Amino acid sequence: MKVVAGVDVGKAGLEVSVSAGPSRSFSNSSDGIVELGEWLESRSVTDVVCESTGGYEREAVRVLSGMDMSVHVAHPSRVRSFARASGYEAKTDRLDARVLSRYGEVFDLDSTYSQSVDSEELRDLLSRRRQLVEQRVQERNRLDRGVTEGVRASTERHIGWLDKEIEWLEEEYRNALDDNARLSESASLYRSVPGVGDLTAATLVAYLPELGRCNGKELSSLVGLAPWSRDSGRYHGYRSTRGGRGRVRRVLYLAALSAIRCNDDLRSFYKGLRKRGKPGKVALVAVMRKLLLLLNAIAHRGTPWVGQYTPAM
């Protein structure tokens, strides 16, 4: 029998509701999480649902997953939409815990932790690299604004430090890949595709563990490359992509730009779309989707790129 606990995670506390019942509070600390786990076990909880909170949920997810509970980290916007659809306009910690429990009862959710535990360090390193790259862009933009000499010198020193730190992080994420045989093997398979580099392969390994396990439509929807319909009656709206995992989509965009220059198959595919009158952006998104399907086929077969793959749609 499925018994779901909803856990509203805060910086200092955890509000918990089992089967959408009355809530109970625990400390978001090592001792508090252990106490929470024992309390959930006493109530025969099988599934736990919490929201992504930027890291405050990590320790609770790790401990509860180790107690044979299926733990799902839900996207906050989806949970909020579910709450409103269920008639809950108010928002409190106790109410959020009950909503999360109900959310887990209504939907069949996969365990987030079991799919990503061995790539946690890699995700952290890639996330930190992305933060510093964004800072470097901001600092370089400041140099174009006519700043005084003192500010310019400070900004240039900071950019120099960022360059070195980003270089160090790039070495570290490659080491993290090499230290894990399974992740390293997957990354090597992805890099065999012309146009897919180290960063793209590492991001796919870290943020898209579903590669090789889903069909093409499911995977396209996960990444945000599926064209969504906007039809009603006689109206047929413009189909567009939205949502999905933005980090994966961004590296696929860069990989697609590279692939149409150095990958004969994908370049021919892109040129064929353009000759048929497709706009450049539409053709590029199609290349991104085709590249994703190729990578999915490679992951499923466990064999490197050999050209002329015909992936299942």
Side-chain angles (χ1 to χ4, degrees), residues 37-53:
E38 293 173 349
W39 185 75
L40 293 178
E41 281 188 327
S42 69
R43 280 151 181 77
S44 303
V45 169
T46 59
D47 298 82
V48 177
V49 181
C50 65
E51 290 179 316
S52 175
T53 60

Side-chain angles (χ1 to χ4, degrees), residues 65-77:
S65 295
M67 302 176 75
D68 294 330
M69 298 180 194
S70 176
V71 182
H72 178 80
V73 181
H75 196 288
S77 65

Side-chain angles (χ1 to χ4, degrees), residues 7-309:
V7 181
D8 183 70
V9 180
K11 182 177 181 180
L14 303 168
E15 198 72 28
V16 187
S17 172
V18 177
S19 298
S23 64
R24 178 172 172 176
S25 300
F26 296 86
S27 170
N28 192 1
S29 62
S30 298
D31 292 339
I33 294 170
V34 171
E35 183 183 356
L36 166 63
E38 293 173 349
W39 185 75
L40 293 178
E41 281 188 327
S42 69
R43 280 151 181 77
S44 303
V45 169
T46 59
D47 298 82
V48 177
V49 181
C50 65
E51 290 179 316
S52 175
T53 60
Y56 293 128
E57 79 283 356
R58 276 193 177 184
E59 185 62 23
V61 170
R62 185 180 295 113
V63 172
L64 296 178
S65 295
M67 302 176 75
D68 294 330
M69 298 180 194
S70 176
V71 182
H72 178 80
V73 181
H75 196 288
S77 65
R78 292 185 178 181
V79 176
R80 193 65 211 144
S81 297
F82 173 79
R84 288 171 177 160
S86 301
Y88 296 103
E89 291 293 340
K91 191 179 189 310
T92 66
D93 292 346
R94 292 182 177 181
L95 182 58
D96 286 350
R98 290 200 293 272
V99 168
L100 285 165
S101 176
R102 181 62 180 150
Y103 181 86
E105 291 175 342
V106 171
F107 298 105
D108 186 15
L109 305 173
D110 294 329
S111 172
T112 302
Y113 186 77
S114 64
Q115 296 176 351
S116 58
V117 57
D118 56 352
S119 60
E120 185 174 12
E121 181 182 4
L122 179 60
R123 288 197 307 277
D124 282 346
L125 290 168
L126 290 172
S127 179
R128 180 57 178 165
R129 179 193 176 277
R130 179 179 55 84
Q131 292 167 3
L132 296 189
V133 168
E134 290 174 354
Q135 286 186 34
R136 185 171 62 182
V137 170
Q138 293 171 358
E139 290 289 63
R140 286 175 174 170
N141 289 339
R142 291 186 180 101
L143 291 176
D144 298 330
R145 298 176 185 172
V147 296
T148 60
E149 286 302 317
V151 173
R152 175 175 292 275
S154 172
T155 304
E156 288 176 345
R157 285 197 302 271
H158 191 205
I159 291 174
W161 179 85
L162 289 170
D163 287 339
K164 293 179 182 178
E165 200 67 14
I166 290 169
E167 184 179 349
W168 180 82
L169 285 167
E170 289 175 345
E171 182 179 352
E172 285 299 300
Y173 85 67
R174 290 188 179 97
N175 290 337
L177 270 178
D178 293 339
D179 291 342
N180 187 305
R182 186 185 69 82
L183 299 183
S184 180
E185 181 181 359
S186 295
S188 296
L189 289 174
Y190 303 153
R191 284 196 300 267
S192 69
V193 181
V196 176
D198 291 345
L199 181 59
T200 300
T203 303
L204 292 170
V205 166
Y207 292 104
L208 196 61
E210 294 86 356
L211 269 176
R213 305 175 188 173
C214 299
N215 62 44
K217 291 183 179 179
E218 292 172 338
L219 208 57
S220 297
S221 180
L222 273 176
V223 177
L225 293 177
W228 295 96
S229 302
R230 296 183 61 192
D231 300 338
S232 180
R234 296 182 179 180
Y235 174 76
H236 297 280
Y238 182 79
R239 283 153 175 73
S240 61
T241 61
R242 64 180 183 270
R245 300 180 187 175
R247 293 177 182 176
V248 176
R249 192 167 56 253
R250 282 190 289 271
V251 297
L252 283 176
Y253 173 79
L254 296 174
L257 287 175
S258 177
I260 60 178
R261 293 193 299 268
C262 64
N263 187 313
D264 292 339
D265 293 348
L266 294 180
R267 181 170 60 249
S268 298
F269 177 69
Y270 176 79
K271 288 183 176 180
L273 291 173
R274 295 289 283 143
K275 287 179 179 178
R276 294 202 298 271
K278 297 294 184 182
K281 183 178 179 180
V282 172
L284 188 59
V285 171
V287 172
M288 291 168 63
R289 185 172 184 271
K290 186 174 181 67
L291 177 59
L292 180 65
L293 297 180
L294 294 175
L295 291 165
N296 191 45
I298 288 171
H300 178 71
R301 300 170 184 176
T303 56
W305 163 267
V306 293
Q308 297 296 331
Y309 265 131

